[in-house]
Amino acid sequence: MLSKKGIKSEVKVRFAPSPTGPLHIGAARTALFNWLFAKKNKGKFILRIEDTDISRYKKEYEKDILKALKWLGLNWDKGPYYQSRRKEIYKKYIKKLLKEGKAFWCYHTKEELEAEKKEQMKKGEAPRHICEHKLNSQKSEVKSAIKNSKLKGIIRFNTPIKKIKFTDVIRGEIEFDTSLLGDFSIAKDLNNPLYNLTCVIDDYEMKINYVIRGEDHIPNTPKQILIQEALGFPTPYYAHLPLILGPDRSKLSKRHNAMPINEYKRLGYLPEALINFMAFLGWNPKNEREFFMLDDLIKEFSLESIGKSGAIFNIQKLDYLNGYYIRHTDLNKLTKMCIPYLEKAKLIKKIKDLKFKILETNEIIDFNYIKKIVKLEQERIKKLNEIKELTEFFFKKKLKYKPELLKWKNISLIEVKRNLEILEREILKIKKNEFNEKKLKDILMPLTEKYGRGEILWPFRVALSGKKASPGPFEIAEILGKEKVLERIREAKKLCEVSS
Ligand code: GLU
């Protein structure tokens, strides 16, 4: 059905988020799959903001959604359309349905509806409202009684009892018995239509021919097909994407590190990593390939290769992909991306283009200095926000660490101090303009042969970084420069004195 030949008219898909929360990973995956399907088939990807639920609507959510989509690179061809601005269109259709008796006003009170629900639950039936008002609504005495009453009604669909069948591109044939649906509501009144109705009208008006959305919308599909039939609209193809589950196969939640997209962005995940990660939430290539950027996905993606069973969300996979994309990011670009994290941590402050101040020391550094630091960590970091923790020792006036950390194995602090003195003496011999990694190695490596590798290099590295794990001492030393290196060695010596 989905072969190239099978798609007769231009593919038109939509992403239709409700701005009742930020753009979450699940909805973003829906957006991605719609986008890919549109690109693959040279069709159109439409963005529609379903903002009819004003009680839960927030402008900030709407902004968040648009920002996150743009950041991911999922640009839309048309829209955003806002349902709140299309009320006249919906009204026209509601009136038509009412006039034709395909919809009706229901005046049952909340209490009556509750009682009906209780009764049905008791009998083990699906809770639904089967309304007797629909039978009477055309009778003139009912009409005038309604007109004269102050009752606040709701508009419901006059559900015919039948079987609804549709073929889901992913799940195959799905059949529904409409008697389980009851006379579902489609509008609060003429000016306040509800989701199932607005969705059907917009999909028709916007000529959407493929509806790709989460599996949680399957129960809405028979209702939407009924409305399409009542209005004489064609039924689009449906593709319901599998649920996203945690590694323990439970419902995906914060506990599994499922978050809104902008939160991932804040933590330093790259859009490429999220795209790659989300693509695998349901879709799989036919081979072992792991890394896919948007362009690769356009080539490889198809709805048919989406699985039916739940997609497992595993944050370690995302971290792994993120590490990969960080390693493959151009160093200049990566440095630019890391700088905001160092600024936010109040380690550095931008003073002008490509010039920064180290806040603790007031020292002025340039972009290349930061670039060297970032380069040291590029292979290791999994998320950009780790850059602070990993590199802050470069920007500190004084390092804080326990003297014991300077000890290689069981050697005493007295010996550590002696080794630091040897280091200091040798380093003093290096000219400032020759102070680089190579020179340091040439001078210091012979010492390791004489005094032991760990004995020399371990306290050297700890003196410079204050950390148990860090890049090697020669690389750090070159970046810090002769003066700071000597200063840190002297500080380490002092620590040994105080504690021995
Ligand atoms: N506004 C709905 C949602 O956010 C869209 C559902 C649909 O795609 O039809 O879940």
Side-chain angles (χ1 to χ4, degrees):
M1 166 175 54
L2 286 174
S3 66
K4 274 256 164 5
K5 277 182 272 150
I7 302 174
K8 289 190 196 81
S9 44
E10 183 189 35
V11 162
K12 273 192 160 179
V13 293
R14 76 328 190 254
F15 176 52
S18 305
T20 53
L23 184 71
H24 227 268
I25 185 103
R29 182 205 50 176
T30 301
L32 170 64
F33 284 20
N34 274 286
W35 188 92
L36 288 173
F37 187 67
K39 297 290 155 196
K40 171 110 205 168
N41 293 291
K42 303 199 170 28
K44 294 270 182 300
F45 174 63
I46 291 166
L47 178 60
R48 181 168 84 214
I49 305 292
E50 303 209 322
D51 56 349
T52 48
D53 186 354
I54 40 164
S55 64
R56 291 168 64 214
Y57 168 86
K58 273 200 187 140
K59 182 84 190 160
E60 67 191 73
Y61 293 146
E62 186 192 311
K63 280 195 190 149
D64 177 279
I65 293 168
L66 301 188
K67 202 171 127 198
L69 286 174
K70 282 187 198 152
W71 180 71
L72 288 169
L74 303 179
N75 296 317
W76 46 94
D77 302 304
K78 275 186 142 195
Y81 293 103
Y82 292 88
Q83 289 195 323
S84 58
R85 298 178 197 165
R86 299 169 56 80
K87 289 195 168 171
E88 284 310 308
I89 301 175
Y90 310 129
K91 196 175 187 171
K92 188 181 85 188
Y93 287 108
I94 301 174
K95 280 186 174 163
K96 184 169 186 278
L97 288 171
L98 283 169
K99 199 166 154 226
E100 293 172 3
K102 292 173 179 163
F104 63 94
W105 282 93
C106 158
Y107 293 93
H108 282 108
T109 60
K110 245 196 190 140
E111 292 72 27
E112 286 169 329
L113 294 174
E114 273 305 312
E116 182 187 25
K117 195 169 157 185
K118 254 195 191 155
E119 192 59 31
Q120 288 166 340
M121 303 278 262
K122 222 161 74 188
K123 285 194 246 160
E125 289 177 7
R128 65 213 186 274
H129 179 49
I130 302 162
C131 192
E132 71 262 22
H133 290 161
K134 69 177 164 182
L135 305 173
N136 303 326
S137 61
Q138 295 309 312
K139 288 190 185 155
S140 58
E141 66 268 28
V142 175
K143 269 189 180 165
S144 63
I146 285 169
K147 219 173 170 183
N148 296 332
S149 80
K150 296 219 162 41
L151 286 174
K152 177 141 177 38
I154 188 164
I155 301 169
R156 290 182 180 275
F157 189 75
N158 186 349
T159 302
I161 305 298
K162 61 189 257 185
K163 294 251 192 302
I164 291 274
K165 240 195 236 169
F166 70 96
T167 308
D168 188 282
V169 178
I170 296 167
R171 318 183 69 82
E173 199 163 274
I174 300 183
E175 194 180 79
F176 268 96
D177 186 341
T178 65
S179 66
L180 299 174
L181 302 176
D183 301 313
F184 55 89
S185 49
I186 54 170
K188 287 186 190 155
D189 53 48
L190 290 179
N191 295 311
N192 288 294
L194 295 168
Y195 160 68
N196 279 310
L197 183 72
T198 54
C199 174
V200 165
I201 294 171
D202 282 346
D203 285 346
Y204 170 72
E205 294 259 334
M206 295 170 190
K207 301 195 169 51
I208 302 300
N209 40 21
Y210 285 83
V211 170
I212 304 168
R213 59 187 176 189
E215 190 186 296
D216 48 322
H217 283 290
I218 291 180
N220 288 322
T221 308
K223 296 180 187 173
Q224 295 181 5
I225 293 176
L226 283 173
I227 301 173
Q228 285 154 7
E229 287 176 352
L231 289 169
F233 297 164
T235 292
Y237 290 115
Y238 286 100
H240 287 98
L241 306 174
L243 280 182
I244 305 177
L245 306 170
D248 53 359
R249 301 199 74 84
S250 67
K251 191 172 179 288
L252 188 63
S253 74
K254 242 190 167 150
R255 184 162 65 83
H256 304 115
N257 287 306
M259 286 173 250
I261 296 299
N262 283 320
E263 191 65 15
Y264 289 110
K265 179 180 174 209
R266 202 179 59 79
L267 293 175
Y269 286 98
L270 272 46
E272 293 87 345
L274 272 162
I275 290 287
N276 199 152
F277 178 70
M278 291 192 298
F280 276 73
L281 291 174
W283 173 82
N284 273 302
K286 293 193 176 65
N287 50 37
E288 296 295 302
R289 185 172 166 189
E290 287 181 293
F291 304 110
F292 288 85
M293 309 255 282
L294 276 176
D295 284 345
D296 312 312
L297 287 167
I298 295 172
K299 280 188 215 126
E300 303 289 324
F301 180 81
S302 76
L303 286 178
E304 285 91 346
S305 42
I306 295 174
K308 268 195 267 239
S309 54
I312 304 294
F313 175 100
N314 190 338
I315 193 78
Q316 275 101 32
K317 176 81 192 286
L318 177 59
D319 287 352
Y320 165 73
L321 291 169
N322 209 47
Y324 171 86
Y325 286 104
I326 287 178
R327 289 195 296 283
H328 288 80
T329 300
D330 161 77
L331 185 58
N332 273 322
K333 190 174 164 201
L334 184 65
T335 307
K336 276 187 204 140
M337 284 155 70
C338 286
I339 285 172
Y341 292 89
L342 299 174
E343 287 178 319
K344 201 160 163 254
K346 303 224 176 335
L347 296 173
I348 57 167
K349 189 174 182 237
K350 184 172 171 173
I351 45 174
K352 62 176 181 207
D353 261 4
L354 307 179
K355 287 268 182 263
F356 301 84
K357 183 160 91 180
I358 298 184
L359 285 168
E360 276 200 18
T361 62
N362 283 329
E363 197 187 335
I364 305 300
I365 53 170
D366 61 11
F367 182 81
N368 283 331
Y369 185 87
I370 304 172
K371 191 165 134 184
K372 281 189 201 156
I373 294 173
V374 171
K375 186 173 176 221
L376 281 191
E377 296 297 345
Q378 184 167 17
E379 291 294 312
R380 292 216 290 173
I381 96 178
K382 294 272 184 295
K383 292 184 285 242
L384 300 180
N385 73 345
E386 291 165 1
I387 200 74
K388 175 214 167 212
E389 184 88 19
L390 290 171
T391 67
E392 63 186 340
F393 65 87
F394 281 105
F395 307 100
K396 292 278 175 191
K397 198 170 187 167
K398 212 171 161 196
L399 303 180
K400 281 198 198 97
Y401 58 93
K402 295 217 169 72
E404 277 65 35
L405 197 57
L406 289 161
K407 284 172 150 184
W408 171 250
K409 295 198 172 145
N410 288 329
I411 69 171
S412 69
L413 282 176
I414 297 178
E415 278 173 278
V416 171
K417 193 181 157 222
R418 190 205 64 188
N419 294 342
L420 288 166
E421 270 160 3
I422 296 168
L423 277 162
E424 183 186 5
R425 202 180 57 217
E426 294 301 318
I427 288 171
L428 272 168
K429 291 183 194 158
I430 307 175
K431 286 194 203 118
K432 213 173 161 184
N433 61 351
E434 282 179 358
F435 194 87
N436 57 38
E437 203 181 318
K438 182 169 177 310
K439 187 77 183 170
L440 282 158
K441 273 187 187 155
D442 289 347
I443 300 264
L444 301 180
M445 283 316 275
L447 296 181
T448 65
E449 274 155 40
K450 195 164 169 197
Y451 300 99
R453 199 179 156 85
E455 280 77 357
I456 293 292
L457 297 185
W458 178 268
F460 185 28
R461 200 188 53 69
V462 173
L464 300 185
S465 69
K467 287 162 76 96
K468 203 169 162 183
S470 74
F474 302 113
E475 293 132 299
I476 301 177
E478 178 178 319
I479 298 175
L480 285 174
K482 187 174 172 183
E483 256 168 60
K484 274 196 204 154
V485 167
L486 287 170
E487 207 175 287
R488 289 188 182 191
I489 290 177
R490 286 170 190 146
E491 282 294 328
K493 269 167 52 189
K494 264 196 235 158
L495 264 184
C496 293
E497 279 161 22
V498 178
S499 314
S500 56

